[in-house]
Amino acid sequence: MTETETNVYDVVVLGAGPVGENVADRTRAAGLSTAIVESELVGGECSYWACMPSKALLRPVIARADARRVPGLRHLVQGPLDAEAVLAHRDYETSNWQDDGQLGWLESIGADLYRGQGRLAGARTVTVTGEDGSTRTLTARHAVAVCTGTGAQLPDLPGLAEVGPWTSREATSAKSVPGRLIVVGGGVVAVEMATAWQALGSRVTLLVRGKGLLPRMEPFAGELVAEALAEAGTDVRTGTSVQSVTRENGTVVAVTDTGDRIEADEILFATGRVPRTDDIGLDTVGLEPGSWLSVDDSLRVTGSEWLYGVGDVNHRALLTHQGKYQARIAGAAIAARAAGTPLLEPAPWSAHAATADHGAVPQVVFTDPEAASVGLSLAEAEQSGRRVRAVDVEFSSVAGAGLYADGYRGRARMVVDLDRETLLGVTFVGPGVGELIHSATVAVAGEVPLGRLWHAVPSYPTISEVWLRLLEAYRDGKQEN
C-alpha cells in the first residue's frame, strides 16, 4: 500500500480471520471493492491458536487410541507419543505463525490489506493505526463488517496475572510438555486440551465447576468423555471451583473451594470467551465497547443500515465453520443491498439469512471418544414447547462399529418433532463419529421427513448404519404406543 492510494471502498472488513476473509471473498466476487484490516496475523485465531493447532495436537492422540482398539495392531502402538514430532507438526500446520500464504490468497481475490488496529470513527468510517503510529482513514460506501472474534475470559482471581496462566492460545502453542497441568473448565477447549496434553505426557487435573463436562451437549456426551479421560489418567473433579492461584518457586498452586491444594507446572483457564470489541470504536456509533453485537439474520447490526457483526462477535454460534457460514450470508446480503435489492426481512433459509444459526449448528469435539451434535438437545427441544421424543441407540448394535474397534463404546440420539416427524437434533458419541455429523446436519437443516430417511440407505457394514437403528427404534416405539 502507498499513501497515495484511495481510502474509499465499497466494503471495509475489521478482522482477517476466516470470517473476515470469507466476507471479503464474497464481496469481491460481487464486484465490490474491499479493504480488510488486521492487527495480528492474517488467518486469525483459528489458523494459529485454535482449530488448526489444536487438531494437529489431537490427531495423533486419536489415531493411537483407534489403533489400540484394532487386533493385530494394538501391540505395536503401546509406547508413548513422540511429543517432539507432534509439536513440530503442529508448528507446520500453523505455518510457524507466519501468514505469508494467507497474504497471497487475499491478493488473489483483489482485497486490499491494511495492517494495524482498526477502529470505527463514526458512520461508515474506520481508522487504522499502524505499528509505527501512522493513521489512515478508510471510508465504506456500503458496509463495515466487524469480524474481530473473541478472546479468552479469565476469572477475577487476585494475583492471577502474576501466575502467568495459560489461555487457549498458550495451550495450543506451547513449545514443551508440562509435567503437570491443571485445566480449569468443562467445555470444548478444556476437554480437548486435557485430552491432548494428557496423551503427550502431562499429568492432568481437570477442575470443573459444574456437574459434568460439555454442558451444552446431551448429558451422556459429557459422561462418556469424562469416563474416557479418567481411564486415560486424567484426574477429573466436578463440582469444584478454584478459589486462589499462586506461583511459588515456579510451581503453580491452586486451592479449591473444598480446601484441596493442587500443584502443577502450568494452569489453563478455559472458562469462556469475550468479544474483541473493547477497542474498535463502538462508542463512536452509539454502541457499548466490549459488548456482543446484536444482529438480524442477514448479520446486520440491530438499528444500523451499514454495520454488520459476523462470526463470534454476535454470540450466535462461537464456531469457525458457523462464522464462515455467516460470512457467506453477510457477503451476499451486503452485495444485494449495494445493488439496490430490498432485504428488510430476508426469508428463512434464503441466500441472505443465516437461519441455520437457530437450529442446525453442527459441532465436533475431538476427544476420545469424539462427541458430535447438530441442532437442539432434548432439553432445548422440550423448552421450545414442541411435542418431542428422544430416540437412543448404542453403537454396539451396529456391525460396522465392531469392525471399527474392539469394544466400541458410544451412543446416538435423535430428537424428533412428533407433529412434523422431522429431526430437531442429533448427537453421536464414539470413535470416528465426527465424520458422521454432516449427514445429520443435512437431515436437520433440510427438515427431511423420517419417512424419506428410510430411503437413505446406509452402506453395510459402516458405522453409518446407526441411522437405520435409530429409525427402527423410533418405529418400534410408535408401535408400542
Side-chain angles (χ1 to χ4, degrees), residues 373-397:
S373 67
V374 63
L376 305 182
S377 66
L378 174 60
E380 290 169 335
E382 289 174 337
Q383 290 167 6
S384 73
R386 284 171 278 203
R387 286 198 321 122
V388 299
R389 177 184 159 206
V391 179
D392 292 357
V393 299
E394 299 294 323
F395 273 99
S396 57
S397 65

Side-chain angles (χ1 to χ4, degrees), residues 449-458 468 470-475:
L450 295 190
R452 179 57 62 89
L453 281 178
W454 279 101
H455 299 280
V457 182
L468 182 55
L470 286 166
L471 292 170
E472 289 169 342
Y474 177 69
R475 176 200 60 195

Side-chain angles (χ1 to χ4, degrees), residues 199-463:
L200 287 168
S202 291
R203 294 205 312 272
V204 175
T205 302
L206 182 60
L207 304 179
V208 186
R209 184 173 57 184
K211 296 180 181 179
L213 307 183
L214 303 175
R216 297 190 177 185
M217 286 187 161
E218 299 285 8
F220 65 82
E223 292 166 4
L224 290 171
V225 170
E227 289 174 9
L229 280 170
E231 289 175 3
T234 298
D235 182 1
V236 180
R237 306 187 191 185
T238 58
T240 302
S241 296
V242 175
Q243 297 298 299
S244 68
V245 181
T246 56
R247 191 179 285 273
E248 303 172 7
N249 299 318
T251 297
V252 174
V253 179
V255 178
T256 71
D257 53 351
T258 59
D260 290 337
R261 176 186 168 97
I262 306 168
E263 296 186 354
D265 299 287
E266 302 292 348
I267 184 167
L268 162 62
F269 283 92
T271 49
R273 309 289 293 180
V274 293
R276 287 193 178 128
T277 60
D278 58 312
D279 190 25
I280 62 168
L282 287 186
D283 55 310
T284 69
V285 294
L287 297 173
E288 183 181 351
S291 64
W292 301 100
L293 298 181
S294 175
V295 299
D296 63 18
D297 272 0
S298 71
L299 290 311
R300 189 164 61 174
V301 172
T302 303
S304 176
E305 294 183 353
W306 57 271
L307 185 62
Y308 291 73
V310 193
D312 286 5
V313 292
N314 60 42
H315 208 237
R316 287 162 68 108
L318 276 63
L319 297 160
T320 295
H321 50 268
Q322 208 68 20
K324 291 164 68 175
Y325 159 73
Q326 292 177 12
R328 296 189 292 270
I329 298 295
I334 291 169
R337 288 182 173 125
T341 303
L343 296 173
L344 296 179
E345 293 185 15
W349 303 112
S350 73
H352 307 124
T355 311
D357 286 348
H358 304 301
V361 175
Q363 181 174 23
V364 179
V365 184
F366 292 86
T367 46
D368 177 40
E370 290 178 347
S373 67
V374 63
L376 305 182
S377 66
L378 174 60
E380 290 169 335
E382 289 174 337
Q383 290 167 6
S384 73
R386 284 171 278 203
R387 286 198 321 122
V388 299
R389 177 184 159 206
V391 179
D392 292 357
V393 299
E394 299 294 323
F395 273 99
S396 57
S397 65
V398 179
L403 292 170
Y404 188 95
D406 268 5
Y408 189 109
R409 286 189 297 171
R411 186 182 302 175
R413 167 174 288 180
M414 66 180 189
V415 180
V416 180
D417 182 327
L418 293 174
D419 293 321
R420 301 182 64 203
E421 288 211 316
T422 57
L423 297 180
L424 296 172
V426 179
T427 299
F428 300 130
V429 183
V433 299
E435 296 300 334
L436 290 181
I437 202 60
H438 191 61
S439 58
T441 303
V442 171
V444 172
E447 299 176 335
V448 181
L450 295 190
R452 179 57 62 89
L453 281 178
W454 279 101
H455 299 280
V457 182
S459 298
Y460 182 86
T462 66
I463 300 176

